[in-house]
Amino acid sequence: MWGRFRKAGGRDSHGLRTEPKAGGDRRPHNLFEAAATYVTACAQDDQERSDEAAGWVSPEALSFGVNELACRAVIALARERDESPETVARALLGLPAA
């Protein structure tokens, strides 16, 4: 029974690994590096670079990293502007004030 759990857990956690592809001698990419590169590339309309960054980690890890980056960016802007995070987030998305 525990073997099944270990096997399932290993399968799930493997998708979050950031190991380089076979034959790669560089260090693995951090999910936050991937998120930062991906978001920057998207902002600069660099499809090739965003595709490259998306391949560094699993889609789930990239999603988590992008979410964390968004949260930190909104908090930093809110502090800088002396506004609430909700106000900043809505302004960035072009939404009316709540």
Side-chain angles (χ1 to χ4, degrees):
M1 180 171 149
W2 291 113
R4 258 197 237 160
F5 286 116
R6 268 194 307 253
K7 192 179 215 181
R11 195 169 40 240
D12 290 342
S13 66
H14 179 69
L16 298 175
R17 290 187 183 162
T18 58
E19 296 170 2
K21 298 208 184 298
D25 54 82
R26 297 182 350 183
R27 69 174 178 81
H29 289 283
N30 178 296
L31 71 95
F32 295 117
E33 289 176 317
T37 301
Y38 179 82
V39 169
T40 303
C42 289
Q44 297 172 340
D45 201 25
D46 184 347
Q47 186 64 45
E48 186 177 319
R49 187 75 172 142
S50 67
D51 289 344
E52 178 186 353
W56 292 348
V57 295
S58 72
E60 296 84 5
L62 183 62
S63 177
F64 174 80
V66 169
N67 182 62
E68 187 66 22
L69 176 60
C71 290
R72 292 179 187 195
V74 167
I75 290 169
L77 279 173
R79 287 179 181 157
E80 184 179 295
R81 295 178 181 182
D82 197 26
E83 296 177 347
S84 74
E86 182 178 9
T87 300
V88 170
R90 294 182 70 82
L92 288 171
L93 291 171
L95 299 172

